[in-house]
Amino acid sequence: GAPRAHLKIDGLSAGYGAFLVLRNLTLEARPGLTVVLGPNGAGKTTLLKALNGLIPRQGAVLLNGEELPEKTHETVQSGVALVAEGRQLFPQMTVTENLELGGWLVPKAERARRIEQAFNDFPKLRERASQLAGTMSGGEQQMVAVARAMMSAPRLLMLDEPSLGLAPKMVDELLGIARRIADAGTTVLMVEQNVKKALAVADRGYVLERGAIVASGPAALLARSTVIREAYLGAD
Ligand code: ATP
């Protein structure tokens, strides 16, 4: 098969107009599941936007050694998909129609094959194939958003707070889905505020505070680190 995606970010700066949120960030997403943790406003969403070409950036962003394009539609063609916060589904369209739109670049027969694959991967969505996306629960909608992103068969999947606003059981289900996608060969870069659960499924993690990385490492080590225990999990 194709080599697994390895994203290397070196000296990344990005922000809004003159307001720099990220300064000289260095981070990598190796094959597997990498999580970026951090408080509100730390710049986690800004990082994913900069990678996806939604805001301008400076610095090197390499996917398997090749510079990632700065235009969103070109990042899709380079094999990058983003599930944005808020999911951005088409609420008046069915689950199937949302998936079809996720595969708009894909020839029809292949698109049908991928929808079938999505229904195999997300059996709950098969039952809901003709339900309007806007009438689904938050967790179900998040599932549709992930399945839709997978329709472009990305090498790198970026998830912005997939567990946001979900009940604990759904959080576990969504994080489990992220883990399975990583195990199936798509490199996953996930932003999360659910520190404990995210570190439990991730391979590696970074802690972002005020636009800078303050800690990083293997997820199991990070979970035991002082910065995580004191600031996010409550020291015992
Ligand atoms: P959250 O979990 O609350 O979304 P975050 O870590 O994802 O937090 P960002 O959304 O990246 O944080 O925001 C980082 C900083 O950039 C914040 O100070 C925020 O106010 C600012 N910011 C975000 N979007 C814009 C925008 N469109 N214009 C100006 N400033 C923005």
Side-chain angles (χ1 to χ4, degrees), residues 13-101:
S13 297
Y16 305 91
F19 177 50
L20 265 193
V21 174
L22 306 174
R23 287 165 198 274
N24 202 22
L25 210 74
T26 295
L27 183 150
E28 62 181 311
R30 301 180 193 173
L33 173 49
T34 300
V35 65
V36 178
L37 308 164
N40 281 316
K44 305 183 298 300
T45 298
T46 302
L47 169 65
L48 298 188
K49 281 188 189 165
L51 296 176
N52 206 41
L54 295 168
I55 55 171
R57 64 170 187 245
Q58 288 189 309
V61 179
L62 302 177
L63 192 57
N64 290 358
E66 275 186 45
E67 185 69 33
L68 197 66
E70 289 198 39
K71 292 188 177 136
T72 305
H73 67 277
E74 290 175 8
T75 66
V76 177
Q77 276 151 346
S78 309
V80 177
L82 168 68
V83 178
E85 220 174 323
R87 307 172 196 116
Q88 299 175 346
L89 295 178
F90 297 93
Q92 306 290 0
M93 291 187 172
T94 66
V95 169
T96 303
E97 287 164 348
N98 271 279
L99 295 182
E100 280 169 349
L101 283 168

Side-chain angles (χ1 to χ4, degrees), residues 87 89-99 119 122-145 147 166 170:
R87 307 172 196 116
L89 295 178
F90 297 93
Q92 306 290 0
M93 291 187 172
T94 66
V95 169
T96 303
E97 287 164 348
N98 271 279
L99 295 182
F119 287 149
F122 304 91
K124 280 190 177 167
L125 296 187
R126 190 191 294 280
E127 299 163 22
R128 308 288 182 120
S130 30
Q131 186 171 340
L132 297 185
T135 66
M136 301 176 88
S137 76
E140 291 163 353
Q141 290 192 30
Q142 190 66 52
M143 234 178 261
V144 177
L166 303 185
M170 264 296 172

